[in-house]
Amino acid sequence: QVQLVESGGGLVQPGGSLRLSCAASGFALDYYAIGWFRQAPGKEREGVSCVSSADGSTYYADSVKGRFTISRDNVKNTIYLQMNSLKPEDTAVYYCATTPRGGYYCTSREYVYWGQGTLVTVSS
């Protein structure tokens, strides 16, 4: 069955770095749109970074531009989110997601397969 399993979350100090991983099984990530989303308590889920399936165009939320990088390894069938210069406002549950078509606007509505989420806490 299709499954996405996230890892790499945890507690980190402001200014620190963290890399999230999302291992996919049951399908190949090749040619799929990929994305990372996050949700804090009382807040709506927001798109952090996505790569569309058609042309590979990449989206980053303004709040993370220059600090976060999305990538994929098709051999390992894994999605990554490298997070640098972390801020307290980055604290949230982070979800990886993928979909076979679309994903241009990095909205949760566009994505059909989701990971379970991993908590990232940025605090001193």
Side-chain angles (χ1 to χ4, degrees):
Q1 58 181 354
V2 174
Q3 190 173 25
L4 298 172
V5 180
E6 294 159 303
S7 62
L11 176 64
V12 64
Q13 292 184 326
S17 297
L18 212 58
R19 188 170 83 152
L20 306 183
S21 299
C22 176
S25 61
F27 70 104
L29 285 174
D30 305 59
Y31 311 112
Y32 275 53
I34 57 172
W36 285 95
F37 299 79
R38 67 185 182 186
Q39 187 169 24
K43 305 290 186 179
E44 292 188 0
R45 187 175 300 179
E46 64 172 341
V48 175
S49 181
C50 295
V51 182
S52 67
S53 61
D55 59 7
S57 60
T58 303
Y59 164 90
Y60 289 99
D62 289 341
S63 59
V64 307
K65 285 181 180 177
R67 300 189 297 120
F68 290 11
T69 304
I70 189 172
S71 64
R72 79 206 302 168
D73 187 328
N74 290 330
V75 175
K76 296 181 178 180
N77 216 36
T78 300
I79 307 166
Y80 301 98
L81 183 68
Q82 178 66 46
M83 305 183 293
N84 299 324
S85 302
L86 284 162
K87 305 175 180 179
E89 50 262 46
D90 294 319
T91 297
V93 177
Y94 284 72
Y95 301 88
C96 65
T98 188
T99 194
R101 185 168 62 184
Y104 299 101
Y105 301 103
C106 206
T107 60
S108 59
R109 180 176 174 271
E110 300 171 81
Y111 286 79
V112 297
Y113 300 119
W114 292 84
Q116 80 288 350
T118 185
L119 177 63
V120 173
T121 302
V122 184
S123 177
S124 60

